[in-house]
């Protein structure tokens, strides 16, 4: 996950109430935004994408329920807890119908407030996970069939194009059109391959003792023509610890992860930039985890996107499939029982951190299969 504090917007026209809630939430480690009226609250939601809004029912000019309805017009994802001084049952019902996540009576006690906030955020996380796993399940079950149906015509199109290309020499317009078709065929092939990587189970027979530094140098070598692309100047530096223990991995899968991450860094750098790749293992540490870090000084990840980057098909790029990071996460976390986290700051850069267990992960897979 991207490192970040969860952001909450507090909306109330009574300054004392805002200050008290603000102190409690800050002490608990949340990031807060403050507002004293409905219009300003809607503007802040638009600009800063909080995860949760604590919204007073009785606001000047625009009532809380109207602000809530306005939020729900284009956003199902933000949680909203309504607050009121009056505790009418009927009001509570209308608020829940309008899309409130919860309802609290003022004055708010610290315990009640924090439990409601934690509960609503937890529900939000669970919903998100359910949606994600439903999508993954569907992808895993359907895709092998779909891939077959897409790949066959793609092969046929590729073959037919080669024949047309031979006949179309010295016809610039036709040559240009053929190039476009080739590019699109390649893009579709890449998409199908990424979806298949995502839905295929890991091949345990391909696990072998590997030196992670070798996979890094092999991945960097493969990307060298891209680093030397004249349109960008990317300086790649390697800080690889020499005496790394060998790790049981599927070489090609891990290489694919490194290539995806390096490709993302290159795409995040506009003209000049740096990419540093570091490996580290501390034998005295009880966790027995080997760490690999990729740090770039590219454009970084916008805060509102940071929660979505592991969602299948989420992309901010023209022509991106949005499967690069989900595939990385599957390979590292599921297939290799490792960890993958990302720290990023918009405008400054991104660091991807991978931790791999130095023990043989196949044993874990076997254990899991038995217990399943
Ligand atoms: N190093 C990075 N710097 C900035 N943004 C990044 C970085 N890595 C990932 N991202 C963001 O995460 C999104 C998802 O990345 P992911 O690799 O899954 O898909 P993609 O790169 O968009 O498409 P694909 O990998 O299929 O070509 C990207 O679109 C980008 O917005
Ligand atoms: Mg990518």
């Amino acid at each position: 996950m991207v490192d970040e504090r969860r952001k909450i917007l507090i909306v109330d026209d009574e300054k004392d109430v805002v200050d008290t809630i603000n102190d409690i939430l800050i002490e608990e480690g949340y990031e807060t935004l403050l507002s004293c009226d409905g219009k300003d609250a809607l503007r802040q939601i638009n600009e800063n994408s909080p995860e949760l809004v604590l919204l007073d029912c009785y606001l000047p000019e625009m009532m809380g329920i109207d602000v809530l309805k306005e939020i729900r017009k284009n956003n199902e994802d933000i949680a909203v807890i309504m607050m009121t001084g009056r505790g009418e049952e009927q009001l509570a019902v209308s608020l829940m119908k309008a899309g409130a996540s919860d309802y609290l009576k003022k004055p708010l006690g610290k315990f009640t407030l924090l439990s409601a906030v934690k509960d609503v955020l937890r529900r939000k996380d669970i919903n998100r996970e359910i949606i994600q796993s439903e999508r993954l399940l569907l992808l895993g079950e359907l895709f092998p069939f779909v891939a077959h149906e897409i790949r066959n015509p793609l092969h046929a199109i590729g073959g037919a194009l080669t024949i047309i290309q031979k006949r179309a020499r010295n016809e610039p317009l036709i040559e240009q059109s053929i190039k476009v078709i080739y590019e699109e065929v390649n893009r579709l092939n890449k998409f199908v391959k990424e979806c298949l990587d995502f839905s295929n189970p890991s091949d345990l027979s391909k696990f072998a003792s590997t030196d992670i530094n070798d996979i890094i140098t092999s991945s960097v070598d493969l990307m060298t023509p891209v680093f030397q692309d004249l349109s960008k100047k990317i300086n790649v530096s390697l800080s690889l610890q020499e005496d790394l223990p060998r790790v049981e991995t599927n070489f090609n899968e891990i290489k694919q992860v490194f290539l995806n991450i390096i490709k993302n860094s290159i795409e995040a750098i506009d003209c000049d930039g740096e990419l540093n790749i570091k490996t580290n293992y501390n034998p005295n540490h009880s966790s027995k985890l080997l760490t690999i870090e990729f740090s770039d000084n590219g454009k970084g990840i916008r805060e509102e996107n940071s929660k979505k980057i592991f969602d299948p098909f989420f992309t901010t790029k023209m022509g991106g499939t949005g499967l690069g990071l989900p595939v990385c996460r599957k390979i590292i976390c599921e297939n290799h029982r490792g960890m993958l986290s990302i720290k990023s700051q918009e405008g400054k850069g991104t660091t991807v951190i991978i931790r791999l267990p130095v023990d043989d992960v196949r044993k874990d897979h076997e254990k899991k299969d038995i217990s399943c």
Side-chain angles (χ1 to χ4, degrees):
M1 281 302 239
V2 172
D3 269 9
E4 58 161 46
R5 291 186 300 147
R6 307 195 80 161
K7 206 188 286 175
I8 301 177
L9 170 65
I10 309 163
V11 192
D12 201 307
D13 58 329
E14 288 177 71
K15 192 174 176 306
D16 287 357
V17 175
V18 172
D19 288 345
T20 312
I21 299 178
N22 189 32
D23 289 347
I24 296 173
L25 294 180
I26 294 231
E27 196 189 323
E28 202 63 19
Y30 294 105
E31 185 182 338
T32 52
L33 300 162
L34 314 179
S35 178
C36 58
D37 70 76
K39 280 203 178 121
D40 175 68
L42 289 172
R43 183 189 57 78
Q44 293 213 44
I45 289 169
N46 234 346
E47 287 174 9
N48 302 308
S49 326
E51 279 197 67
L52 167 64
V53 182
L54 285 163
L55 181 60
D56 186 29
C57 281
Y58 296 93
L59 292 168
E61 291 175 38
M62 199 175 177
M63 290 292 277
I65 190 158
D66 297 322
V67 179
L68 171 64
K69 285 179 183 162
E70 209 47 47
I71 296 174
R72 285 290 170 253
K73 270 189 193 161
N74 29 8
N75 204 317
E76 277 298 314
D77 205 37
I78 298 179
V80 181
I81 299 179
M82 301 299 296
M83 310 180 287
T84 177
R86 305 164 213 184
E88 308 109 54
E89 285 291 303
Q90 203 46 48
L91 176 63
V93 173
S94 350
L95 291 172
M96 299 313 265
K97 271 192 188 159
S101 317
D102 203 350
Y103 169 87
L104 293 174
K105 274 187 247 169
K106 288 197 283 185
L108 301 172
K110 181 176 172 179
F111 178 77
T112 318
L113 173 69
L114 287 179
S115 339
V117 165
K118 284 179 188 163
D119 181 53
V120 161
L121 289 176
R122 202 176 314 117
R123 267 171 20 215
K124 207 168 165 264
D125 289 342
I126 292 171
N127 273 344
R128 183 173 195 85
E129 272 166 31
I130 291 173
I131 292 170
Q132 221 185 56
S133 60
E134 278 171 353
R135 272 196 210 168
L136 298 190
L137 205 70
L138 197 68
L139 187 65
E141 283 174 4
L142 279 184
F143 204 74
F145 300 102
V146 180
H148 184 73
E149 292 304 308
I150 297 176
R151 271 189 162 165
N152 283 347
L154 283 181
H155 280 138
I157 295 170
L161 264 186
T162 316
I163 297 170
I164 298 173
Q165 196 174 28
K166 281 184 189 150
R167 300 266 167 97
R169 298 230 162 89
N170 304 323
E171 296 272 359
L173 195 60
I174 296 179
E175 279 179 343
Q176 185 58 29
S177 307
I178 291 171
K179 196 169 158 254
V180 172
I181 302 175
Y182 261 129
E183 279 169 6
E184 291 305 305
V185 166
N186 286 341
R187 200 168 65 82
L188 270 175
N189 266 323
K190 177 181 160 244
F191 177 72
V192 173
K193 186 186 171 305
E194 285 186 358
C195 288
L196 278 176
D197 288 340
F198 201 73
S199 53
N200 283 341
S202 184
D203 185 351
L204 293 186
S205 68
K206 296 206 172 122
F207 271 65
S209 163
T210 40
D211 181 343
I212 289 295
N213 288 343
D214 283 348
I215 313 185
I216 289 175
T217 39
S218 155
S219 313
V220 171
D221 285 350
L222 210 80
M223 295 301 267
T224 302
V226 186
F227 294 133
Q228 288 170 350
D229 174 356
L230 288 180
S231 63
K232 289 186 187 186
K233 237 178 84 200
I234 299 174
N235 182 27
V236 185
S237 55
L238 303 182
S239 323
L240 308 180
Q241 187 175 313
E242 272 179 15
D243 53 350
L244 278 190
R246 296 180 74 81
V247 189
E248 285 287 325
T249 69
N250 179 328
F251 188 99
N252 284 330
E253 281 190 349
I254 297 290
K255 185 165 163 184
Q256 190 193 346
V257 169
F258 293 173
L259 289 174
N260 282 352
I261 293 171
I262 295 172
K263 186 171 147 283
N264 279 345
S265 289
I266 294 171
E267 288 163 351
I269 292 169
D270 278 336
C271 332
D272 293 1
E274 306 272 334
L275 169 65
N276 178 259
I277 308 174
K278 197 161 90 181
T279 52
N280 173 269
Y281 178 69
N282 180 355
N284 301 321
H285 204 282
S286 58
S287 65
K288 293 181 101 181
L289 290 171
L290 184 152
T291 309
I292 309 130
E293 273 186 35
F294 299 79
S295 300
D296 68 58
N297 62 351
K299 58 173 161 267
I301 298 169
R302 295 182 71 158
E303 219 178 306
E304 68 257 36
N305 292 338
S306 62
K307 283 230 145 22
K308 305 179 197 152
I309 54 173
F310 287 106
D311 288 354
F313 307 117
F314 174 79
T315 182
T316 54
K317 299 169 194 169
M318 282 273 291
T321 62
L323 280 173
L325 287 179
V327 166
C328 292
R329 183 147 89 168
K330 179 173 183 269
I331 293 176
I332 296 298
C333 305
E334 287 180 31
N335 302 0
H336 289 81
R337 303 282 190 262
M339 291 175 224
L340 174 68
S341 58
I342 297 187
K343 290 182 186 176
S344 187
Q345 220 183 331
E346 196 180 351
K348 294 254 167 78
T350 302
T351 299
V352 180
I353 304 157
I354 293 173
R355 295 197 168 83
L356 287 174
V358 296
D359 280 337
D360 186 348
V361 293
R362 275 179 305 184
K363 286 181 201 147
D364 273 357
H365 280 283
E366 280 155 19
K367 267 188 230 153
K368 193 171 178 242
D369 288 343
I370 292 165
S371 61
C372 279

